[in-house]
mmCIF file of all heavy atoms in Angstrom:
data_model
loop_
_atom_site.group_PDB
_atom_site.id
_atom_site.type_symbol
_atom_site.label_atom_id
_atom_site.label_comp_id
_atom_site.label_asym_id
_atom_site.label_seq_id
_atom_site.Cartn_x
_atom_site.Cartn_y
_atom_site.Cartn_z
ATOM 1 N N ILE A 44 83.078 131.534 54.240
ATOM 2 C CA ILE A 44 82.078 131.596 55.295
ATOM 3 C C ILE A 44 82.669 132.214 56.552
ATOM 4 O O ILE A 44 82.015 132.993 57.256
ATOM 5 C CB ILE A 44 81.504 130.187 55.588
ATOM 6 C CG1 ILE A 44 80.744 129.663 54.372
ATOM 7 C CG2 ILE A 44 80.602 130.208 56.816
ATOM 8 C CD1 ILE A 44 79.562 130.541 53.953
ATOM 9 N N SER A 45 83.917 131.906 56.838
ATOM 10 C CA SER A 45 84.593 132.476 58.014
ATOM 11 C C SER A 45 84.640 134.012 57.917
ATOM 12 O O SER A 45 84.390 134.720 58.899
ATOM 13 C CB SER A 45 86.005 131.913 58.142
ATOM 14 O OG SER A 45 86.671 132.487 59.259
ATOM 15 N N ASN A 46 84.926 134.506 56.716
ATOM 16 C CA ASN A 46 84.934 135.949 56.502
ATOM 17 C C ASN A 46 83.555 136.567 56.727
ATOM 18 O O ASN A 46 83.425 137.642 57.327
ATOM 19 C CB ASN A 46 85.435 136.285 55.096
ATOM 20 C CG ASN A 46 86.898 135.975 54.906
ATOM 21 O OD1 ASN A 46 87.664 135.917 55.877
ATOM 22 N ND2 ASN A 46 87.305 135.760 53.671
ATOM 23 N N SER A 47 82.513 135.865 56.244
ATOM 24 C CA SER A 47 81.149 136.345 56.417
ATOM 25 C C SER A 47 80.761 136.352 57.888
ATOM 26 O O SER A 47 80.105 137.286 58.367
ATOM 27 C CB SER A 47 80.176 135.476 55.633
ATOM 28 O OG SER A 47 80.361 135.609 54.240
ATOM 29 N N LEU A 48 81.182 135.330 58.596
ATOM 30 C CA LEU A 48 80.874 135.268 60.043
ATOM 31 C C LEU A 48 81.590 136.403 60.781
ATOM 32 O O LEU A 48 81.038 136.988 61.726
ATOM 33 C CB LEU A 48 81.297 133.917 60.622
ATOM 34 C CG LEU A 48 80.478 132.704 60.173
ATOM 35 C CD1 LEU A 48 81.056 131.433 60.802
ATOM 36 C CD2 LEU A 48 79.018 132.856 60.546
ATOM 37 N N HIS A 49 82.798 136.723 60.341
ATOM 38 C CA HIS A 49 83.532 137.831 60.959
ATOM 39 C C HIS A 49 82.748 139.135 60.800
ATOM 40 O O HIS A 49 82.629 139.935 61.741
ATOM 41 C CB HIS A 49 84.913 137.963 60.325
ATOM 42 C CG HIS A 49 85.741 139.050 60.906
ATOM 43 N ND1 HIS A 49 86.342 138.969 62.149
ATOM 44 C CD2 HIS A 49 86.047 140.301 60.432
ATOM 45 C CE1 HIS A 49 86.981 140.082 62.398
ATOM 46 N NE2 HIS A 49 86.815 140.921 61.383
ATOM 47 N N GLU A 50 82.170 139.332 59.618
ATOM 48 C CA GLU A 50 81.353 140.526 59.373
ATOM 49 C C GLU A 50 80.137 140.563 60.281
ATOM 50 O O GLU A 50 79.773 141.623 60.814
ATOM 51 C CB GLU A 50 80.910 140.561 57.909
ATOM 52 C CG GLU A 50 82.055 140.775 56.927
ATOM 53 C CD GLU A 50 81.600 140.653 55.487
ATOM 54 O OE1 GLU A 50 80.382 140.455 55.254
ATOM 55 O OE2 GLU A 50 82.456 140.733 54.566
ATOM 56 N N ILE A 51 79.524 139.396 60.466
ATOM 57 C CA ILE A 51 78.339 139.332 61.337
ATOM 58 C C ILE A 51 78.725 139.642 62.776
ATOM 59 O O ILE A 51 78.053 140.405 63.470
ATOM 60 C CB ILE A 51 77.666 137.940 61.233
ATOM 61 C CG1 ILE A 51 77.101 137.738 59.827
ATOM 62 C CG2 ILE A 51 76.568 137.782 62.286
ATOM 63 C CD1 ILE A 51 76.643 136.313 59.541
ATOM 64 N N TRP A 52 79.840 139.058 63.206
ATOM 65 C CA TRP A 52 80.311 139.297 64.576
ATOM 66 C C TRP A 52 80.612 140.785 64.788
ATOM 67 O O TRP A 52 80.305 141.350 65.835
ATOM 68 C CB TRP A 52 81.545 138.448 64.858
ATOM 69 C CG TRP A 52 81.267 137.201 65.639
ATOM 70 C CD1 TRP A 52 81.797 136.851 66.851
ATOM 71 C CD2 TRP A 52 80.405 136.108 65.263
ATOM 72 N NE1 TRP A 52 81.302 135.622 67.243
ATOM 73 C CE2 TRP A 52 80.451 135.134 66.294
ATOM 74 C CE3 TRP A 52 79.579 135.828 64.165
ATOM 75 C CZ2 TRP A 52 79.716 133.947 66.273
ATOM 76 C CZ3 TRP A 52 78.853 134.653 64.128
ATOM 77 C CH2 TRP A 52 78.918 133.741 65.168
ATOM 78 N N GLU A 53 81.204 141.393 63.790
ATOM 79 C CA GLU A 53 81.553 142.810 63.880
ATOM 80 C C GLU A 53 80.283 143.667 63.962
ATOM 81 O O GLU A 53 80.238 144.685 64.648
ATOM 82 C CB GLU A 53 82.391 143.229 62.670
ATOM 83 C CG GLU A 53 83.816 142.758 62.737
ATOM 84 C CD GLU A 53 84.592 143.436 63.855
ATOM 85 O OE1 GLU A 53 84.557 144.679 63.956
ATOM 86 O OE2 GLU A 53 85.234 142.717 64.660
ATOM 87 N N SER A 54 79.238 143.240 63.264
ATOM 88 C CA SER A 54 77.988 144.009 63.241
ATOM 89 C C SER A 54 77.220 143.906 64.550
ATOM 90 O O SER A 54 76.364 144.756 64.847
ATOM 91 C CB SER A 54 77.096 143.548 62.097
ATOM 92 O OG SER A 54 76.472 142.289 62.403
ATOM 93 N N LYS A 55 77.484 142.841 65.296
ATOM 94 C CA LYS A 55 76.771 142.566 66.540
ATOM 95 C C LYS A 55 75.284 142.316 66.312
ATOM 96 O O LYS A 55 74.479 142.426 67.225
ATOM 97 C CB LYS A 55 76.949 143.711 67.548
ATOM 98 C CG LYS A 55 78.386 144.031 67.928
ATOM 99 C CD LYS A 55 79.067 142.871 68.604
ATOM 100 C CE LYS A 55 80.422 143.262 69.173
ATOM 101 N NZ LYS A 55 81.438 143.516 68.118
ATOM 102 N N ARG A 56 74.934 141.944 65.068
ATOM 103 C CA ARG A 56 73.522 141.671 64.743
ATOM 104 C C ARG A 56 73.461 140.307 64.081
ATOM 105 O O ARG A 56 73.931 140.151 62.954
ATOM 106 C CB ARG A 56 72.966 142.740 63.830
ATOM 107 C CG ARG A 56 71.455 142.619 63.634
ATOM 108 C CD ARG A 56 70.876 143.877 63.029
ATOM 109 N NE ARG A 56 69.431 143.838 62.966
ATOM 110 C CZ ARG A 56 68.654 144.870 62.646
ATOM 111 N NH1 ARG A 56 69.228 146.033 62.363
ATOM 112 N NH2 ARG A 56 67.358 144.762 62.610
ATOM 113 N N VAL A 57 72.882 139.347 64.777
ATOM 114 C CA VAL A 57 72.883 137.966 64.259
ATOM 115 C C VAL A 57 71.508 137.503 63.787
ATOM 116 O O VAL A 57 71.387 136.421 63.226
ATOM 117 C CB VAL A 57 73.434 136.999 65.330
ATOM 118 C CG1 VAL A 57 74.884 137.308 65.644
ATOM 119 C CG2 VAL A 57 72.598 137.038 66.601
ATOM 120 N N LYS A 63 72.560 140.742 56.160
ATOM 121 C CA LYS A 63 72.712 139.552 55.313
ATOM 122 C C LYS A 63 71.361 139.034 54.859
ATOM 123 O O LYS A 63 71.181 138.643 53.686
ATOM 124 C CB LYS A 63 73.456 138.450 56.075
ATOM 125 C CG LYS A 63 74.863 138.805 56.518
ATOM 126 C CD LYS A 63 75.835 138.841 55.386
ATOM 127 C CE LYS A 63 77.258 139.030 55.894
ATOM 128 N NZ LYS A 63 78.225 139.207 54.786
ATOM 129 N N GLU A 256 71.113 135.587 60.519
ATOM 130 C CA GLU A 256 72.181 136.088 59.692
ATOM 131 C C GLU A 256 73.166 135.010 59.237
ATOM 132 O O GLU A 256 73.722 135.098 58.136
ATOM 133 C CB GLU A 256 72.939 137.188 60.446
ATOM 134 C CG GLU A 256 72.176 138.485 60.567
ATOM 135 C CD GLU A 256 72.003 139.182 59.225
ATOM 136 O OE1 GLU A 256 71.001 138.874 58.551
ATOM 137 O OE2 GLU A 256 72.870 140.002 58.852
ATOM 138 N N VAL A 257 73.368 133.990 60.061
ATOM 139 C CA VAL A 257 74.284 132.917 59.661
ATOM 140 C C VAL A 257 73.692 132.125 58.492
ATOM 141 O O VAL A 257 74.395 131.815 57.519
ATOM 142 C CB VAL A 257 74.598 131.995 60.859
ATOM 143 C CG1 VAL A 257 75.469 130.827 60.410
ATOM 144 C CG2 VAL A 257 75.301 132.782 61.966
ATOM 145 N N ALA A 260 73.977 134.295 55.407
ATOM 146 C CA ALA A 260 75.352 134.392 54.914
ATOM 147 C C ALA A 260 75.721 133.158 54.095
ATOM 148 O O ALA A 260 76.360 133.267 53.035
ATOM 149 C CB ALA A 260 76.314 134.562 56.096
#
Side-chain angles (χ1 to χ4, degrees):
I44 294 300
S45 179
N46 291 337
S47 293
L48 291 178
H49 181 75
E50 292 174 3
I51 294 170
W52 260 239
E53 285 293 310
S54 75
K55 302 297 189 290
R56 188 165 187 171
V57 296
K63 299 287 186 185
E256 287 292 89
V257 176

